[in-house]
Amino acid sequence: MIVRFLIERSGAASYAYEVSADAAELYSDDGLTSVEDCLRAAAEGCGDDIAAAEVWYGGIVSGTYPLATLLAHADQVAEHALNTTSAVAEALIDVARRQGR
């Protein structure tokens, strides 16, 4: 099964995550200190029936990763998620500017 990891800022210096499958929340946590911590915690909570996770940060999907990759390279996946969300946000701002908004 492939699950979804939804990661969001939950305060000035904290993050939250939710793990879901087929729109049903499986588990979640709040008050973590980084996107990387959220990825590790979410991946560690997955059972043997989970093969991969679709990673979302700030409402933007950054990719689908095998669970083993998430566990071994959470730092790199977190950096990619942060960079992807930032790049998409900038692209949306550029489009809005061009449209005169």
Side-chain angles (χ1 to χ4, degrees):
M1 170 174 23
I2 297 174
V3 295
R4 179 176 289 176
F5 291 178
L6 299 169
I7 302 170
E8 298 286 342
R9 287 191 76 89
S10 64
S14 65
Y15 296 83
Y17 73 86
E18 174 185 300
V19 177
S20 62
D22 299 322
E25 182 181 321
L26 301 177
Y27 55 95
S28 62
D29 199 2
D30 193 357
L32 289 93
T33 59
S34 68
V35 172
E36 181 180 347
D37 288 345
C38 288
L39 288 170
R40 287 189 195 285
E44 288 170 356
C46 288
D48 292 337
D49 59 333
I50 307 298
E54 183 179 72
V55 175
W56 289 69
Y57 174 66
I60 305 296
V61 65
S62 62
T64 304
Y65 303 89
L67 198 57
T69 299
L70 287 167
L71 289 166
H73 303 288
D75 58 337
Q76 294 171 16
V77 175
E79 183 176 352
H80 182 259
L82 290 164
N83 290 340
T84 299
T85 298
S86 178
V88 170
E90 286 190 30
L92 290 170
I93 290 167
D94 287 345
V95 168
R97 281 187 191 137
R98 288 194 307 269
Q99 294 177 347
R101 294 184 195 169

